[in-house]
Amino acid sequence: MSARSGWFARAALTLLLAWLVLYPILVVVADAGRGDALATFVSRPGEWGALWASVWISLASVVLAAVIGVPLAFLFEWLEFPGRKTLGSLIALPAVLPPFVGVVAFLFLYGESGFVARAVQAALGLTRAPWRLQGAGAILLVHAYSMYVYFYLFARAGLAKLDASMLEAAQALGAGRWHTLRRVALPLLRPSLAGAALLVFMTALGSFSAPYVFGGGFRVMTTQIVATKLNGELPLAMVETVALALVATLGLVVLRRTEGDDILAALGKGIGPLRRPIRRVSVRALATATGWALAVLLLLPHVTLVLVSLVPYGTWTTEALPPVLSFVNYQRLFGEPERLRPLVNSAWMAAASTAAAIAVALAAGALVGRRGGRWRGPIETLVALPWALPGTVFAVALATTFGAAQPWALRWVLVGTVVLLPLAYLVRNLPVTGRAVLAGYRQLDPAVEEAAASLGAGRWATFRRVTLPLLKPALAAGGSIAFVAALGDFVTSVVLYTYDNRPISIEIMGSLRISELGVAAAFGVMLMLASALVLGLGARR
Amino acid sequence: MKAFVTLDGVRKQWSPTVSVGPLSLEVARGEMVALLGPSGSGKTTVLRLLAGFEALDAGRIVVGGEDVTAVPPAKRRFGMVFQHYALFPHLDVGENVAFGLTARGAAAADQVRAKVAEALALVDLAGFERRRVYELSGGQQQRVALARALAPEPRVLLLDEPLSNLDPALRERTRRELRTLITRVGITSVFVTHEQEEAFDLGDRVAVLHDGRLEQAATPDELYEHPASLFVATFVGRANVVRGALAGALGARDGQIVVVRPERLRFADAGVPGVVRERRYTGAAAFYQVDTEPGDRLEVQAGPGAARVGERVYLEATGVMTFAEGGGGVRP
């Protein structure tokens, strides 16, 4: 590639990314500034309430997830007890439950007419359900369940990297266990914990499924935006979108600051501490029992989903457990073309958007992955930007930008076509594939490609026979996460779907509305299995 | 010698086939003992047993009359300098050194500050309190690790390969400084090394370990002149190991192995005949490889002009050590 064509390719990629990622946001900002929507926003207490709710729910989610995830990480990384390995991987299981499916499973399990409520009702002989799963508490319950995994995984990785001699040095200097934990282990884990906190905060801020299903009268900003949009108050929805985007950016900046420097991890050279076997028989039995009880608790939503999916329509009314079980829901799923459609839709949209996201990421990697230059900053920022903004923000931004026919402003009407939703998936998945591919490129030894070139391989042959095979683990990891995210997406889908491309999550919502719980659960099971399968394949080396 | 630190029949079983000990060793108050051995000999295990990071399977450890076998590391009052120093990267130099002073609970702030300053002055780093540890050079990091270990005034100082992390140019100077410092503090210390020169230079006594067993613990002179085993004779210093006919020619009885150091061989008018094959010049002396007529090759240290390559010579031994096959030492 000559210098000129290289410059041209980099500029073209930057412009394409800017149009996909930045432009829609700018359109929304411009629309929000027009008219008196801003004044309306400021004057309504409900808006401020929703914004504040988003913030405190997210902060509380971080605290809850940390309180559950970090001790678990210590337990599984530092102590040895029967079943540790199996349990250690089971504990990451909430990750294979797409957010909306997880919410539905919680509804079946802990909801007003869920298994637990029915069991309590039957045991105590109550005439009504003992509780309603609604409001902030319900949202936090779901968040804690699905997001502690981040803290657990990050803290475990951090602990595995921890230099054992640091802990021994503290001991040799007379520090007891508690002192060592507080003054040495936790400070050294800070980068990992801050990373997890950032991830949980951003995920909770953008969370839509839980507040949508369990919120009731309790509104957070994501549900508020969708409600306002449905009410037809489009300018106000724009202002809300911008407000949420601002909070997200602020959170990102503040939390990044606490992350500290990488130097903490870089100095240690040693090997991780050995796991300490629990010697006292009673304590070991307790740890094992607690571990398995926890695993059962974590697996209950998955089991519930499977169980409900086996309940034929109208056979389960007041009993504590469903009286009839059969595969009839699955037969309908695959037998009726109208019910098969959402599965096919989700599959093709996820595949297409993932392939496109990988292609863009590879282009970015090839152009700025190794040497970068002045285009690297802009391209990396644009690729990462969708991660910093909640899905609702992007959904609204894309709907706005591609809801008007202004070809001179690079705006076409895509709303109402089947193209817009996969395009949104693509934008949302850019950070995942981009980060994986760019990191993969950075780890490539340039000498390997030079060796290929010196052996007579051309540019394309080198890419196909050397670069691509070396990038395969990164592509598999990034691609599988992107595919699963698109397959189970609900946040963007609920804003952008059309009848012709309605995805699985939307069909689940529809089935729930007409009380076809079994069908909804069957869809959920399909989604869960597909996610587990794809993530498993992606993680294989 | 009155022992301050006693390892009494200490044993650690890593697996059915791999174990260290049983091993007994006494260290006098103020003495500096080197644990020397090839990698895998168990020297680091012995140090970690002393520090309390590993639990003994048998034996006991006594310090100043107190049995510390079951005392956890935090309560042993042993200072330790780690191979990679293990400085806490999230704390500055002063906080690192203060760690051991405050670890056991609250201490008066000005007292801690004074002790930190004192410890840093001791290692020639006065005024370094607010520096970040990763900004320091390798040698400075090592001194901070030393100051940190010494600040709480431990009973014994343990050092794990204290110089291995430094580049060779710095190593010799640091070794001298370390020697001076430890002598000045007068602390009983045990350190691990795999380099003979380091062990001889720093250790009042050197304990040679091999395959988890203690081969010999003695002063450097004693080790060199009177090795207790064939392993010690060959591991410490340069040595020609001779068996068979040539061993007989050098005065050994049947089945004995002869070890003769290059400087204990000289060219003479009569003796073992041979031909010089190689000459390696090192300045003050030269090393000659001589193929002897009975068959073995011997290394001879002599003056730079003592012989030429290809010359026919006769070798005479001024001192040999003999060992029975199987390793036990026999004094000449």
Side-chain angles (χ1 to χ4, degrees), chain A residues 166 168-169 171-172 174 183 187, chain B residues 48 53 74 78 82 87-88 90:
Chain A
M166 295 281 171
E168 289 176 349
Q171 281 184 296
R183 292 283 313 275
Chain B
R48 292 175 61 81
F53 296 134
F78 279 24
F82 291 81
L87 297 176
F88 303 127
H90 59 293

Side-chain angles (χ1 to χ4, degrees), chain A residues 131 152-153 156 183 185 216 225 290 349 506 525 535:
Chain A
W131 63 72
Y152 171 70
L153 292 177
R156 266 198 85 166
R183 292 283 313 275
I225 291 171
T290 314
M349 288 192 293
I506 298 299
V525 170
L535 286 179

Side-chain angles (χ1 to χ4, degrees), chain A residues 163 165-176 179-180 183-184 187-188 261 263-265 267-270 274, chain B residues 48 53 73-74 78 80 82 84 86-91 95-96 99-100 102-104 133-134 141 148-149 152 165:
Chain A
D163 189 343
S165 66
M166 295 281 171
L167 306 174
E168 289 176 349
Q171 281 184 296
L173 290 165
H179 197 78
T180 307
R183 292 283 313 275
V184 180
L188 288 175
D261 16 43
I263 205 89
L264 292 189
L267 202 71
K269 297 186 176 175
L274 280 177
Chain B
R48 292 175 61 81
F53 296 134
F78 279 24
M80 174 121 175
F82 291 81
H84 300 290
L87 297 176
F88 303 127
H90 59 293
L91 304 178
E95 289 166 338
N96 261 284
F99 193 96
T102 53
R104 258 176 281 257
V133 291
Y134 44 82
Q141 287 188 6
R148 183 178 72 175
N165 221 13

Side-chain angles (χ1 to χ4, degrees), chain A residues 31-44 47 228 233-240:
Chain A
D31 279 12
R34 232 171 271 148
D36 53 0
L38 185 60
T40 315
F41 180 90
V42 173
S43 65
R44 280 194 201 168
E47 302 291 336
T228 310
E233 294 183 272
L234 285 185
L236 184 59
M238 302 295 131
V239 177
E240 290 166 351

